[in-house]
Structures are given as C-alpha cells and as structure tokens.
Amino acid sequence: MTRKSHTAQYPDVQPHLPPRSRGVIALFEENCTVCMLCARECPDWCIYIDSHKETVPAATPGGRERSRNVLDRFAIDFALCMYCGICIEVCPFDALFWSPEFEYAEEDIRDLTHERDRLRDWMWTVPAPPALDAAAEEPKELGAARKAADKLAAAEQAAREQAEADAAPDRSTDPATENGQQPDDRQQQEGES
C-alpha cells in the first residue's frame, strides 16, 4: 500500500521470469526410449506415445540381433495438462524438461495438443541447470568415469614404457661392454700386455 502500483506493459515488454519457471514441457527426443513411464504416471492421461519395434543387426560377427523401440509420436495435450511435473520427475533418461515458454495460446482448444516437433523446438529454450555448489561432493558417475580414464591412461603409459624398453638394445648383459669399452678395444689391450 505504501508503494506505487506498477503496470506490466505485456506484450510490448516481456516479463522477467524466474530461472526455473514452469511454462511448457519440452522433449529431448534422443534420450527417449519409449518406456512409457511418463504416460503411465500422468494423472490426466494427457501424454500420447506411439512407437514401433525395429531389429538392429548384430554389431559383431556371431552376435545376435537386437530389437529396440522407435518413437513415432510423442504429443502432450496442454488443454488437459495440470503442470504437476510428474512426467518430468519419473523420466529415467532425462528426456523431458521444463521450458519457460508460456506463449502458446490457440484459438481452438483442439490445437493445444502439441506434437514432438513443437516439443523439440521448446527444448532449446530450456535454461542450463544451476552450477553445483563448490563444496559439494563429485557425482558418482563423474568419479567412476575419471577412475576408468585414469586406469586406461596408466595402462597405456605402462605399455608405452614396455615398448620403449623392448626396442632399446640391452647392453648391460654383455661382458664386453662393461666399463664403456667396445669388444675390439678390450682385445687390443689384452694383446698389448
């Protein structure tokens, strides 16, 4: 009551949104494995997923063929969505994210069902996650990856040193080369005395 009222000049001036605001749900299609967890857990049943199975040939000779799900359709009906975020939380492969986009109004309610192309376009508006606390523990995945990389680097270094040792001539076992003398010099010295 003690401050002057401020009128937002929207749409001429865009509002300042909090960094992790909930606008729409964006899809990162490459991470989606069509596990259907998001559609099953959605309380409004507003996520529609269609897929088919493809056979992947064996990667190595004598291996067996594998089958995998391929995403055909991923759509969200934002006329039904209540923006609870359950689908984003249950996704085990980080395929769904909150985007701060909020300008997607339509004249017809049937146009609020957005397909995967539109959801993918919104993916590029998702802000980067906040930086980790400097005093926080390193994530287990990074620690395991670093340990594996260090082990591989140590094995490569050991193999390189072994190859250098094998390539260098071994002079220490030849008695003629002791004291830095060549075999011909030694025979000459023995003949002179």
Side-chain angles (χ1 to χ4, degrees), residues 15 26 32 35 43 56 64 72 78 81 97 115 119 136 139 141 161 168 170 180 185 190:
C32 184
C35 65
V56 179
R64 68 182 179 98
D72 291 330
F78 286 103
C81 181
F97 295 89
E115 299 292 332
L119 300 176
E141 296 84 4
E161 290 174 356
D170 192 13
D185 296 341
E190 288 174 1

Side-chain angles (χ1 to χ4, degrees), residues 102-119:
F102 63 93
E103 297 177 316
Y104 56 95
E106 299 288 346
E107 292 181 2
D108 189 352
I109 195 169
R110 290 173 291 193
D111 294 335
L112 282 173
T113 301
H114 294 295
E115 299 292 332
R116 68 181 184 178
D117 295 334
R118 182 85 184 265
L119 300 176

Side-chain angles (χ1 to χ4, degrees), residues 39-128:
R40 274 184 273 164
E41 295 296 325
C42 178
D44 292 333
W45 291 78
C46 65
I47 300 176
Y48 310 110
I49 301 174
D50 292 330
S51 67
H52 70 276
K53 287 195 180 284
E54 276 186 2
T55 303
V56 179
T60 59
R64 68 182 179 98
E65 293 180 339
R66 308 249 179 207
S67 66
R68 67 181 179 103
N69 287 327
V70 177
L71 186 66
D72 291 330
R73 180 183 186 219
F74 193 105
I76 298 177
D77 187 354
F78 286 103
L80 294 175
C81 181
M82 63 182 190
Y83 303 90
C84 62
I86 292 175
C87 57
I88 295 170
E89 291 186 25
V90 299
C91 182
F93 302 104
D94 289 334
L96 297 173
F97 295 89
W98 281 117
S99 167
E101 290 291 317
F102 63 93
E103 297 177 316
Y104 56 95
E106 299 288 346
E107 292 181 2
D108 189 352
I109 195 169
R110 290 173 291 193
D111 294 335
L112 282 173
T113 301
H114 294 295
E115 299 292 332
R116 68 181 184 178
D117 295 334
R118 182 85 184 265
L119 300 176
R120 183 178 181 80
D121 290 342
W122 283 329
M123 184 62 212
W124 312 123
T125 65
V126 173

Side-chain angles (χ1 to χ4, degrees), residues 13-33:
V13 177
Q14 293 293 317
H16 177 69
L17 297 173
R20 304 303 287 174
S21 60
R22 293 183 176 190
V24 290
I25 298 166
L27 171 69
F28 190 55
E29 195 176 327
E30 286 78 7
N31 285 358
C32 184
T33 60

